[in-house]
Amino acid sequence: MISVEHLTKCYGDFTAVDDLSFEIDEGHVYGFLGPNGAGKSTTMNIMTGCLSATSGRVLIDGHDIFEEPRPAKKLIGYLPEQPPLYMGESPMEYLQFVGQAKGITGKELSEQIEQVIEQTKIYEVRNQRIATLSKGFRQRVGIAQALLGKPRVIILDEPTVGLDPIQIIEIRELIKELGRSHTVIFSSHILSEVQTICDEIIMIAHGRLMALDEPGKLEKRLLSPSEISLVTDAGAEQAQSLLTPIKEITSVNTELMDGGYLRAEVKTDNGDIYSVSRKIFNAFKDSGKALLEMSLKKASLEELFIELSGNPAESETAEEKEVPEK
């Protein structure tokens, strides 16, 4: 449905998007995940034709967004991070204006407005001034305008930012509903949000693609080894000799603690961390040395995200430099 090929966007010496390539299949919800300043908004603005690229191309159902903008853009509904709302108008007035701008008129426009109002659940506020609406309702109005024209792809840039917890849940549910009839791409820097809603995760950092896969498969494919932390009264050499024969263990780091006890950090790539811990327990039991502590730590996708995203300070700098896209 969408093909992003070697996309690059530079602002002077700063590269906001760096040779980015990925494919979007029809009929799925994609989470575009990355820290602030990762290049998500820049990429989305290029994908929707709102921003030019330094190099590379974007194909929407075979139409180049730069060479064939009209047929490509007709397939896309877009909600920027800052919804383009007219505060003095009501949602009805605003949707009529947007629909006409998209070339929809007459009965077709009335029917589509009625449909998107129902989809986004803004009927009760349809005649209020947008300036009087909560941010949650404003986001819904923004999503409603993106749905006009019956696009096959809905692109939402940080749709839950600034919302209260109840509004966040409501917008997430709306995205799930939209995913039943559209291809949906939404950006977020909240991992749990993406995991909850998405069929596929596109993980980006520093303008580069880090990973693209289903949440479960991504976890299995990319997570760092599980860790077992233990404290023993055995010496460093004896602990190493007890742990090394356990083939599932990939590395052992030891540190002498106060009081003469030894802490060992054990890593394993075996999916069954409990089986490995049982072998460790039995090895020390048979040796007569005590295991004073043993704790298990399964690496999480959250930790992977932080690791791939890099230094938070670098992300902040990138976010500041990414301002020209707004």
Side-chain angles (χ1 to χ4, degrees), residues 4-11 16-20 42-43 45-58 64-67:
V4 175
E5 302 175 1
H6 303 289
L7 202 62
T8 298
K9 179 63 178 180
C10 300
Y11 296 107
V17 179
D18 187 2
D19 195 30
L20 191 62
T42 300
T43 303
N45 277 322
I46 296 173
M47 290 171 65
T48 54
C50 297
L51 187 68
S52 64
T54 303
S55 62
R57 66 175 185 165
V58 177
D64 191 305
I65 195 69
F66 307 122
E67 301 295 330

Side-chain angles (χ1 to χ4, degrees), residues 189-209:
H189 59 271
I190 304 171
L191 177 61
S192 59
E193 180 170 77
V194 173
Q195 284 181 290
T196 301
I197 301 173
C198 295
D199 303 315
E200 304 267 350
I201 294 177
I202 303 170
M203 193 176 288
I204 181 174
H206 310 298
R208 297 186 296 273
L209 183 69

Side-chain angles (χ1 to χ4, degrees), residues 48-296:
T48 54
C50 297
L51 187 68
S52 64
T54 303
S55 62
R57 66 175 185 165
V58 177
L59 300 178
I60 312 294
D61 198 27
H63 300 288
D64 191 305
I65 195 69
F66 307 122
E67 301 295 330
E68 305 173 85
R70 286 184 66 84
K73 289 181 180 181
K74 287 188 73 172
L75 298 170
I76 300 171
Y78 180 41
L79 175 66
E81 186 175 349
Q82 300 296 328
L85 305 176
Y86 296 124
M87 296 299 172
E89 296 184 347
S90 69
M92 281 292 294
E93 293 169 333
Y94 173 68
L95 292 173
Q96 286 170 352
F97 168 76
V98 173
Q100 290 169 356
K102 291 185 177 184
I104 314 166
T105 58
K107 183 180 177 181
E108 175 66 18
L109 177 57
S110 298
E111 289 176 350
Q112 285 201 32
I113 289 175
E114 184 178 340
Q115 182 180 8
V116 299
I117 283 176
E118 182 180 346
Q119 277 183 282
T120 55
K121 297 181 174 61
I122 57 173
Y123 183 83
E124 65 184 89
V125 300
R126 69 194 186 284
N127 293 316
Q128 292 180 217
R129 286 177 63 240
I130 292 174
T132 68
L133 303 182
S134 67
K135 184 163 185 180
F137 271 119
R138 291 180 190 178
Q139 288 292 82
R140 288 177 176 274
V141 174
I143 294 173
Q145 66 80 25
L147 291 170
L148 287 174
K150 299 182 179 179
R152 290 164 58 186
V153 180
I154 305 296
I155 298 179
L156 311 172
D157 191 0
E158 300 273 10
T160 61
V161 166
L163 303 183
D164 66 38
I166 294 176
Q167 293 170 338
I168 288 173
I169 292 171
E170 291 173 345
I171 294 297
R172 288 176 181 175
E173 289 301 316
L174 176 56
I175 292 171
K176 287 181 183 179
E177 290 176 18
L178 293 176
R180 298 188 182 104
S181 55
H182 300 79
T183 299
V184 180
I185 307 166
F186 80 96
S187 66
S188 177
H189 59 271
I190 304 171
L191 177 61
S192 59
E193 180 170 77
V194 173
Q195 284 181 290
T196 301
I197 301 173
C198 295
D199 303 315
E200 304 267 350
I201 294 177
I202 303 170
M203 193 176 288
I204 181 174
H206 310 298
R208 297 186 296 273
L209 183 69
M210 298 290 105
L212 194 167
D213 212 332
E214 297 173 19
K217 290 182 179 178
L218 190 64
E219 197 164 359
K220 290 180 181 178
R221 182 164 61 90
L222 294 178
L223 283 183
S224 57
S226 301
E227 295 181 7
I228 302 171
S229 178
L230 57 91
V231 176
T232 177
D233 59 359
E237 290 186 8
Q238 187 174 13
Q240 288 281 1
S241 67
L242 292 172
L243 295 169
T244 299
I246 301 174
K247 61 181 180 180
E248 294 87 352
I249 291 175
T250 57
S251 68
V252 179
N253 292 314
T254 59
E255 176 188 4
L256 190 63
M257 303 170 59
D258 293 340
Y261 298 109
L262 186 78
R263 177 178 298 280
E265 301 293 340
V266 178
K267 290 189 177 183
T268 173
D269 55 9
N270 188 285
D272 186 358
I273 193 171
Y274 297 107
S275 172
V276 179
S277 64
R278 185 181 296 111
K279 291 182 179 182
I280 293 173
F281 178 84
N282 288 333
F284 278 84
K285 176 175 67 69
D286 294 342
S287 72
K289 289 296 180 179
L291 270 179
L292 305 172
E293 292 180 19
M294 186 162 65
S295 58
L296 312 182

